[in-house]
Amino acid sequence: MYRIDRWFTQSARWLARRTSRRSFLTRVGTLLVGGAALPLLPVARASSPSRAPAPGEPDPSTPEGDPANCNYWRHCAVDGFLSSCCGGTQSSCPPGTEMSLITWLGTCRNPADGKDYVISYNDCCGKDVCGRCFCQRQEGDRPVYVSPKSNDINWCMGTVGVVYNSTVAVVVGVATES
Amino acid sequence: MRRVVGLASLLVLAVSAARADVPIEQLGRTENLTAPPNPHWVWVADVLLRRSALLDLDRGAFLGMVSTGYLAPTASFSRSRSEFYWPETYYSRGSRGSRTDVVTFYDTLSLSPTGEVVIPPKRAINVLPSGNAALTDDDRFLAVFNMTPATSLSIVDVGRRAFVGEIATPGCSLVFAAGTRRFLVLCADGSLLTVTLDDAGREASKVRAAAFFDWRSDPVTEKAVRYGDRWLFVSFEGIVHPVDVSGDAPRIEATWSLLDADDRSASWKIGGYQHLAVHQASGRFYSLMHQGGADTHKEPGSELWVYDLATRKRIQRLELRHPGFSLLSQDFEFGRSWVWPFDRLYDWMLDFVVPNPGVSQIQVTQDDEPLLVTGSQFSGSVAVYEARSLRFLRRVPSGNLTVHSLQAPWGGRGRAP
């Protein structure tokens, strides 16, 4: 037992003398890079529980019906972190944040009924960025000088603070031809 | 005996000389940058870390940084004073509490704040690399773009370090310098508002011109670049709209296209968060390009196309390399000193194994040996190329989590916005 202890101690010291924290991180990173290149197995998807679609919504097991997916149908013009991944839902903000009252609007087609809906992309404000489910889609996005159609603006202005956390995608109406 | 003692003393002295102690050092020292600032020093902003890092592209070195408050990706740089100005936003409790907006004055060599001017807490908060502030061509007045969402400009006299006042710009956004007392503001209907100041910095006139593009069918991006006395606005479909600001009123010049029929049929588009750059002395115009459908105007670029502004012809085309991989600010570059061909292993891995996030930002230095620098919003690393030959030189880690803007403010004959 003593010999095994001594061998491990000596090996650990040898390793510590020849490597640094930085080289360790570099190697971990190399492994991560390699890992990222491997195809992802469909384990998580296979094990996720099946849910019934909400009224009028696509099948939640498809990307177009999953509010935590960037390809969710309401996210056609979103630019930010999805509230659904941050403690909120597609139509409500995470706890302790405040929903902005002014925002930008998009028009997205719902694959469940083939209709176009007006989507309000309100920001959730008052805490720093959520950091989960960053989603950047630009359908109908226009530059900042066309502000109601711009997703580059931090729409937290007008709330208790401009600090941006995440974004919801609220259905506010069925789009009609103008 | 005396001789033996003498030899022994000499030996001791020799040994002590060979094993000299590390000199005692002074506590509390801080580095300063050396004057003059080098044209190959580039600011790399990260709004998540609320900072901007200054990199030396030649040595691949990190020179220093400034902390810039909440979501403030760009500074304005004085050409006549050794200082620069950062419009910043702070909360009394970090992310909450009472809001204070300031223009902070930084010394160019110490990177220390030397003063501040409090401005109305209305500064526009966005991730644009340009158009949020502009300095008059004589370095006297700074205009900061406000959006509440009512739009206006806050005017700061940087010579006197004083807030002058606010000028309403209803229906018009952003701000671009256009002379010693003029600014251009871009309006929602595709027109330009010219705001002229008096010598005290107050509003002398506001003149709105006719629309010069159709914002519905083909709007210009906000990421215009200045080439001498012209601003070059580029539309989603790659149409260049030059605006000459040398006279009292902006003069709209003939448009030209970055794309020919073949390019369009192959679905080439402009795109990125800072997709344009211009080298003033040579008139080379750099544009990030990708293949995509409608509304892909912020997609990262896969290629860089270079134009000669004198002939308006494309002269070079480059497939862009991976701007570098970083995770939690840790740069993973390895093997540069390994023997050939293993020294290229990391480049090969980046270019062919790791998914390339694409290039979101470009900038070019303004000296006679210009460098082109590229960044990605998904990495803290930047890549450096020779700007004329487009030869890839190196990647430089910035310690950032992301890149939101690239600024190369020093050493040029013209202004690099």
Side-chain angles (χ1 to χ4, degrees):
Chain A
M1 201 64 190
Y2 169 75
R3 276 190 180 177
I4 294 173
D5 270 356
R6 200 172 57 174
W7 184 82
F8 269 109
T9 308
Q10 284 175 348
S11 303
R13 282 182 181 154
W14 181 88
L15 192 68
R17 278 198 303 273
R18 281 159 183 77
T19 57
S20 63
R21 178 179 152 273
R22 189 180 298 164
S23 74
F24 169 74
L25 285 171
T26 304
R27 283 172 197 183
V28 170
T30 311
L31 278 175
L32 284 174
V33 169
L38 293 174
L40 296 173
L41 298 171
V43 175
R45 198 173 290 173
S47 64
S48 57
S50 59
R51 290 167 288 163
E57 289 277 334
D59 181 352
S61 66
T62 63
E64 292 77 19
D66 178 5
N69 193 304
C70 191
N71 293 316
Y72 180 50
W73 71 276
R74 299 187 191 188
H75 293 156
C76 72
V78 79
D79 185 354
F81 299 95
L82 303 180
S83 172
S84 305
C85 302
C86 301
T89 69
Q90 67 270 40
S91 56
S92 62
C93 281
T97 61
E98 183 190 357
M99 192 183 291
S100 65
L101 297 177
I102 44 174
T103 184
W104 84 102
L105 300 172
T107 305
C108 303
R109 179 155 296 176
N110 181 359
D113 59 12
K115 289 181 187 167
D116 290 334
Y117 288 83
V118 178
I119 308 296
S120 181
Y121 297 103
N122 300 65
D123 285 340
C124 303
C125 314
K127 297 179 189 291
D128 282 298
V129 288
C130 155
R132 294 201 65 226
C133 301
F134 180 66
C135 177
Q136 197 172 47
R137 293 172 62 184
Q138 319 291 354
E139 291 167 36
D141 169 64
R142 290 295 172 265
V144 164
Y145 56 84
V146 191
S147 55
K149 289 178 173 289
S150 175
N151 67 14
D152 269 342
I153 297 168
N154 178 338
W155 285 103
C156 287
M157 53 191 164
T159 62
V160 65
V162 293
V163 176
Y164 167 82
N165 174 261
S166 52
T167 304
V168 293
V170 184
V171 171
V172 292
V174 178
T176 51
E177 293 285 329
S178 59
Chain B
M1 186 62 188
R2 208 177 279 171
R3 200 175 282 174
V4 172
V5 170
L7 276 172
S9 310
L10 276 175
L11 199 64
V12 167
L13 275 174
V15 168
S16 0
R19 293 185 183 176
D21 291 341
V22 174
I24 303 301
E25 293 173 336
Q26 190 188 343
L27 288 169
R29 287 175 63 241
T30 303
E31 294 293 330
N32 271 353
L33 302 175
T34 50
N38 191 298
H40 290 178
W41 293 355
V42 168
W43 286 97
V44 184
D46 181 346
V47 299
L48 290 185
L49 290 179
R50 302 186 182 193
R51 72 173 203 173
S52 195
L54 182 62
L55 304 183
D56 180 340
L57 301 184
D58 290 325
R59 293 188 294 129
F62 187 100
L63 297 171
M65 53 171 272
V66 291
S67 294
T68 56
Y70 186 66
L71 240 159
T74 48
S76 295
F77 293 84
S78 175
R79 288 177 298 186
S80 53
R81 303 181 187 92
S82 181
E83 61 187 24
F84 53 94
Y85 317 109
W86 221 298
E88 300 170 348
T89 296
Y90 293 97
Y91 279 90
S92 58
R93 299 288 180 273
S95 299
R96 57 193 168 84
S98 57
R99 172 179 171 175
T100 306
D101 284 12
V102 290
V103 170
T104 304
F105 291 60
Y106 289 95
D107 177 70
T108 298
L109 298 181
S110 71
L111 303 185
S112 295
T114 58
E116 67 179 28
V117 171
V118 176
I119 56 174
K122 301 176 174 180
R123 190 177 73 79
I125 307 274
N126 57 51
V127 292
L128 294 180
S130 56
N132 280 317
L135 192 60
T136 51
D137 286 354
D138 63 350
D139 293 337
R140 172 81 189 278
F141 295 106
L142 180 76
V144 178
F145 169 48
N146 298 324
M147 184 180 238
T148 64
T151 51
S152 62
L153 300 177
S154 287
I155 306 295
V156 171
D157 183 333
V158 295
R160 289 177 44 238
R161 297 196 172 191
F163 172 64
V164 178
E166 194 179 336
I167 299 174
T169 60
C172 304
S173 296
L174 307 168
V175 60
F176 303 92
T180 54
R181 293 290 175 270
R182 275 194 308 276
F183 296 107
L184 294 186
V185 184
L186 205 48
C187 304
D189 64 354
S191 66
L192 284 169
L193 178 73
T194 305
V195 177
T196 306
L197 307 181
D198 63 19
D199 281 340
R202 304 206 174 271
E203 178 184 327
S205 67
K206 275 192 297 202
V207 179
R208 193 151 166 178
F212 70 103
F213 63 91
D214 185 345
W215 74 268
R216 288 183 187 83
S217 62
D218 190 21
V220 299
T221 73
E222 312 91 328
K223 295 100 177 178
V225 288
R226 188 167 175 183
Y227 174 54
D229 280 331
R230 285 181 181 80
W231 279 97
L232 304 174
F233 291 92
V234 177
S235 74
F236 287 12
E237 296 299 329
I239 306 296
V240 182
H241 296 260
V243 178
D244 183 339
V245 295
S246 59
D248 287 340
R251 197 166 59 84
I252 311 300
E253 298 186 335
T255 60
W256 56 285
S257 179
L258 297 177
L259 304 160
D260 61 23
D262 290 344
D263 301 328
R264 280 193 203 92
S265 62
S267 301
W268 283 100
K269 294 270 191 308
I270 60 111
Y273 273 88
Q274 189 176 357
H275 60 94
L276 301 172
V278 63
H279 184 248
Q280 303 288 328
S282 66
R284 283 179 182 226
F285 182 56
Y286 300 82
S287 177
L288 272 180
M289 309 298 292
H290 70 279
Q291 286 172 290
D295 294 344
T296 57
H297 48 282
K298 283 184 265 184
E299 284 286 309
S302 58
E303 289 197 11
L304 181 80
W305 292 6
V306 188
Y307 296 82
D308 178 356
L309 285 172
T311 61
R312 298 179 168 182
K313 299 281 182 215
R314 187 174 68 208
I315 51 175
Q316 283 164 301
R317 187 170 166 168
L318 173 76
E319 195 171 329
L320 287 161
R321 297 177 66 164
H322 199 299
F325 177 64
S326 67
L327 183 66
L328 293 176
S329 308
Q330 180 71 37
D331 176 66
F332 289 111
E333 190 151 347
F334 63 87
R336 282 268 174 251
S337 57
W338 294 357
V339 293
W340 184 89
F342 300 105
D343 59 340
R344 309 228 172 140
L345 183 65
Y346 180 74
D347 285 340
W348 178 82
M349 278 186 64
L350 273 189
D351 290 334
F352 298 106
V353 180
V354 181
N356 191 336
V359 170
S360 323
Q361 289 91 6
I362 54 170
Q363 185 56 276
V364 65
T365 67
Q366 295 300 323
D367 55 315
D368 293 332
E369 301 287 335
L371 299 177
L372 176 94
V373 56
T374 68
S376 162
Q377 59 174 329
F378 300 111
S379 172
S381 179
V382 297
V384 185
Y385 302 77
E386 279 180 359
R388 284 180 299 204
S389 67
L390 301 184
R391 186 169 70 90
F392 174 76
L393 295 176
R394 63 187 65 88
R395 295 185 180 89
V396 183
S398 70
N400 287 359
L401 297 172
T402 66
V403 175
H404 284 97
S405 88
L406 298 166
Q407 290 186 281
W410 294 305
R413 276 178 265 170
R415 177 179 291 274

